[in-house]
């Protein structure tokens, strides 16, 4: 297991339990190092609970609780979807007051990211899971239970060359979640 905080099951799925699943962009260790450097330099959090650097990710599609025996069907449904690699520039600092969440996201969303989310939503829907209907807003949750956000709405951009996406499991652990990479798929470097 790396410093990124996630392990990989390489598709091994124990039977007989439900799993809380979602698709995400999962940063590698170098990207996490750059994120940590920017966060430390630009965001001083005086309250709230910071997410561990190993938990940072961008959710693509949340699926929810899935019977263990259906995980393979979800993996098969997305195995052939098209998707192009893209660059994501994380620089916008946002705050949602009601859930008290501080987040980091892009000022502009690359079209291939919207396309990927659309394909994933369709695949998840075809598997019989409720598809998300809210507009997609890519973000990384930086902290929870934040009552007073920092007075900054942008940081020096962290540029991320996104070349894959992952199926993740959220596992409750000591009052927060830990994330496990179940499977990953590459994005094409050829423009479509």
């Amino acid at each position: 297991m790396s410093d990124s905080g996630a392990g990989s099951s390489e598709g091994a799925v124990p039977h007989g339990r439900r799993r809380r699943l979602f698709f995400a962009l999962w940063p590698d260790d170098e990207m996490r190092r750059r994120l940590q450097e920017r966060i430390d330099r630009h965001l001083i959090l005086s309250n709230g609970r910071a997410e561990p650097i190993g938990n940072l990710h961008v959710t693509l599609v949340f699926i929810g609780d899935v019977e263990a025996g259906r995980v393979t069907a979800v993996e098969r449904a997305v195995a052939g979807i098209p998707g192009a690699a893209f660059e994501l520039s994380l620089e916008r600092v946002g705050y949602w007051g009601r859930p008290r969440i501080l987040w980091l996201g892009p000022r502009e969303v690359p079209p291939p990211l919207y396309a990927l989310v659309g394909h994933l939503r369709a695949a998840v829907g075809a598997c019989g899971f409720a598809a998300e209907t809210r507009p997609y807003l890519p973000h990384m949750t930086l902290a929870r239970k934040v009552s007073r956000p920092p007075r900054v709405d942008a940081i020096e951009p962290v540029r991320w060359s996104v070349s894959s996406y992952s199926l993740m499991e959220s596992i409750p652990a000591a009052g927060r979640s830990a994330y496990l990479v179940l499977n990953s798929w590459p994005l094409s470097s050829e423009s479509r």
Side-chain angles (χ1 to χ4, degrees):
M1 190 178 313
S2 69
D3 292 339
S4 63
S8 176
S9 71
E10 298 181 13
V13 179
H15 290 284
R17 70 178 180 97
R18 297 182 73 77
R19 304 177 85 172
R20 191 167 180 82
L21 303 182
F22 62 98
F23 288 101
L25 302 179
W26 190 253
D28 63 16
D29 290 341
E30 173 58 21
M31 179 62 184
R32 287 181 194 286
R33 185 198 61 72
R34 291 189 335 216
L35 282 164
Q36 185 71 67
E37 186 271 331
R38 293 296 199 296
I39 291 167
D40 289 347
R41 186 184 317 163
H42 296 287
L43 293 173
I44 298 170
L45 189 64
S46 59
N47 65 90
R49 186 180 75 198
E51 281 293 308
I53 195 71
N55 276 4
L56 298 185
H57 65 275
V58 174
T59 299
L60 298 170
V61 174
F62 180 74
I63 303 171
D65 290 335
V66 176
E67 293 173 13
R70 294 187 66 197
V71 174
T72 302
V74 172
E75 291 176 322
R76 274 194 300 248
V78 302
I81 67 170
F86 56 91
E87 184 170 287
L88 189 61
S89 181
L90 300 170
E91 59 197 301
R92 179 178 171 205
V93 177
Y95 176 70
W96 290 317
R98 185 163 214 168
R100 299 185 305 161
I101 288 177
L102 182 70
W103 54 269
L104 179 65
R107 287 223 181 269
E108 294 183 26
V109 180
L113 176 53
Y114 278 131
L116 177 60
V117 169
H119 290 304
L120 289 171
R121 283 180 174 181
V124 166
C127 287
F129 297 102
E132 179 67 55
T133 57
R134 291 180 295 182
Y136 180 65
L137 177 63
H139 67 280
M140 280 186 173
T141 298
L142 299 178
R144 299 175 190 279
K145 300 183 180 181
V146 176
S147 57
R148 291 178 322 279
R151 295 179 188 225
V152 61
D153 65 356
I155 65 170
E156 181 183 343
V158 182
R159 290 181 184 15
W160 182 5
S161 294
V162 178
S163 59
S164 67
Y165 64 96
S166 299
L167 177 62
M168 308 294 300
E169 181 177 6
S170 175
I171 302 168
R176 52 173 87 230
S177 293
Y179 302 114
L180 178 67
V181 175
L182 299 180
N183 207 337
S184 294
W185 294 269
L187 295 169
S188 171
S189 59
E190 298 175 11
S191 50
R192 294 185 179 260

